[in-house]
Amino acid sequence: MPQLNTSTWLLTILSMIFTLFALLQLKISKHFYLPSPKPTLTKLQKQQTPWNHTWTKIYLPLSQSQ
């Protein structure tokens, strides 16, 4: 049975890794990234609720004696 020649495997694997890296870099460099959105200042609208302008009394629970 003939012996498998593995002397060129290192060169083949390294050139394959380099080629894949170069192709990946080219693909990423052509990708268009959207600019990050800028925050916009929004005016806070104060909601009118009944308890904002009326005083409410807080009662103690019935189980507590005064």
Side-chain angles (χ1 to χ4, degrees), residues 13-51:
I13 291 171
L14 288 177
S15 61
M16 179 191 65
I17 291 173
F18 175 74
T19 305
L20 287 174
F21 177 76
L23 288 174
L24 185 67
Q25 291 296 317
L26 285 172
K27 195 167 186 79
I28 289 176
S29 69
K30 290 182 180 180
H31 192 278
F32 177 70
Y33 292 99
L34 293 173
S36 33
K38 295 189 166 104
T40 58
L41 296 174
T42 57
K43 292 181 182 176
L44 294 175
Q45 293 179 347
K46 188 168 183 176
Q47 251 180 331
Q48 290 298 326
T49 52
W51 54 84

Side-chain angles (χ1 to χ4, degrees), residues 3-19:
Q3 188 78 18
L4 184 61
N5 184 8
T6 59
S7 62
T8 59
W9 282 16
L10 179 65
L11 181 63
T12 305
I13 291 171
L14 288 177
S15 61
M16 179 191 65
I17 291 173
F18 175 74
T19 305

